[in-house]
Amino acid sequence: MKEIKAIIFDLDGVITDTAEYHYLAWKQLGEELGIPFDRTFNEQLKGVSRMESLERILAYGNKSNVYTMEEKEQFAEKKNEMYKQLIQKITPKDLLPGIENFMREIKENGIKIGLASASKNAFTVIERLGVGHYFDTIVDAATVKNSKPDPEVFLKAADQLNVPYENCVGVEDAQAGVEAIKRAGMFAVGVGNAEQLARADLVVSCTSDLKLDDIKRAFSEN
Ligand code: BG6
Ligand code: MG
């Protein structure tokens, strides 16, 4: 029977609620550029790299060709400064409900843990949360060329863990992330809205519903 040998987590929106901070910072920048947007549009930004997120916001406001590359880099930098202010406040209390118990359970079952994040701020956030010791490997945006929905970040995490892709489970809150896991040939667990994450093999509505036994069962039936 096929066995789970590694569980690879997304960071923002799965381990902690930084997805909300990304949203707030982009929303502020969007308003400054005269491109207001809501949470429904924001679903398309989740899991997507910084520059690609900016491009999507500009396209949404029909401003794709209005700014120079230099201006775009300044906008992205401005958003990142706002985001960095917000994550300064993070403490271990900001771990999403049940996440630490889930990671402990995974370890006790001899399953490896990886992180596959599209963020260049991933190490800072993990450090502030105090959970670095749970991870057997961490892959962040600084070390991959192609961002989600490209599978590269998940493939690289599995390679570093030395686990075949078919024995990996990926956990994601973003459409682009679930797509990346599926393209990597892994079992996808979505955290959030079942309609939005319809490509996932299993969806739970919140992190406190992440239970290893349920995932093992769904994985073996897959
Ligand atoms: C992902 C987030 O984890 O990281 C995206 O889901 C974000 O919203 C992306 O744009 C890049 O993050 P950063 O910190 O490098 O700007
Ligand atoms: Mg996410």
Side-chain angles (χ1 to χ4, degrees), residues 80-163:
N80 194 45
E81 286 307 316
M82 286 189 257
Y83 179 72
K84 284 202 301 197
Q85 283 287 324
L86 292 167
I87 61 174
Q88 263 180 28
K89 292 183 284 183
I90 292 179
T91 73
K93 285 189 187 143
D94 292 304
L95 282 166
L96 278 168
I99 277 291
E100 193 161 12
N101 278 342
F102 182 48
M103 291 202 286
R104 211 174 283 133
E105 198 185 6
I106 296 169
K107 287 256 119 156
E108 283 164 7
N109 276 262
I111 296 169
K112 290 179 180 170
I113 300 185
L115 188 84
S117 176
S119 171
K120 291 184 177 156
N121 293 293
F123 278 94
T124 311
V125 173
I126 288 292
E127 198 173 279
R128 296 208 59 88
L129 291 167
V131 289
H133 59 284
Y134 286 105
F135 293 94
D136 298 294
T137 196
I138 291 182
V139 183
D140 71 351
T143 49
V144 294
K145 277 202 230 71
N146 307 298
S147 76
K148 301 170 188 177
D150 188 282
E152 187 182 356
V153 67
F154 283 98
L155 297 175
K156 191 161 184 186
D159 290 346
Q160 289 181 185
L161 292 170
N162 210 11
V163 172

Side-chain angles (χ1 to χ4, degrees), residues 10 12 22 26 45-50 53 79-80 83 117-121 141 148:
D10 170 48
D12 297 320
H22 281 294
W26 280 128
L45 305 181
K46 285 188 181 172
V48 174
S49 74
R50 196 181 304 164
S53 298
K79 180 267 172 179
N80 194 45
Y83 179 72
S117 176
S119 171
K120 291 184 177 156
N121 293 293
K148 301 170 188 177

Side-chain angles (χ1 to χ4, degrees), residues 26 30 35 37 41 45 52-61:
W26 280 128
I35 311 174
F37 61 85
F41 171 73
L45 305 181
E52 177 60 24
S53 298
L54 176 63
E55 291 294 353
R56 289 188 185 192
I57 292 167
L58 295 177
Y60 182 70

Side-chain angles (χ1 to χ4, degrees), residues 26-47:
W26 280 128
K27 194 168 164 52
Q28 164 100 28
L29 182 81
E31 275 158 18
E32 285 174 24
L33 298 177
I35 311 174
F37 61 85
D38 60 12
R39 285 176 190 277
T40 308
F41 171 73
N42 185 61
E43 286 304 313
Q44 295 174 42
L45 305 181
K46 285 188 181 172

